[in-house]
Amino acid sequence: QGQLVESGGGPVQAGGSLRLSCTASGDTYSNYWMAWFRQAPGKEREGVAAIYTQDDRTYYADSVKGRFTISQDNAETTLFLEMNSLKPEDTAMYYCASANTDWSAVFWAHPTIYKYWGQGTQVSVSS
């Protein structure tokens, strides 16, 4: 049981920054994996970043390495995605997700391992 709700999206100019937040209710923050995915129109949903909650190790898509940072607050009630140096190709609906199975890290970017999903928050980067 649980629900995730994203916030913080909006329009931003290329080169700018945004911080997305994902708040959880129920038992979602007891899960092994928390992640951010994004989906642009006509494209597959892709993994952006993930955190393994047992040791806080983080994982990133090559396209966002060095620009995005995933983290949790100390109480583990909120998941964040700090996005810097935004590019037009970052434009997408961003989703928070949680997995309650101890999957191998090789699967972190596979949407099918995540049980809970938020409704998404739109990020639109203009050039």
Side-chain angles (χ1 to χ4, degrees), residues 17 31 40 44 53 63 70 75 78 89 98 107 110-111:
S17 300
N31 289 311
E44 297 286 336
T53 62
S63 59
I70 188 171
T78 307
E89 52 262 45
S98 175
F107 299 114
H110 290 228

Side-chain angles (χ1 to χ4, degrees), residues 12-24:
V12 63
Q13 294 183 11
S17 300
L18 285 174
R19 185 177 68 174
L20 306 184
S21 299
C22 171
T23 57

Side-chain angles (χ1 to χ4, degrees), residues 21-50:
S21 299
C22 171
T23 57
S25 62
D27 297 328
T28 55
Y29 274 80
S30 295
N31 289 311
Y32 289 97
W33 290 93
M34 298 292 297
W36 289 97
F37 284 75
R38 66 187 181 187
Q39 188 166 24
K43 296 184 178 180
E44 297 286 336
R45 186 169 298 189
E46 65 174 340
V48 176

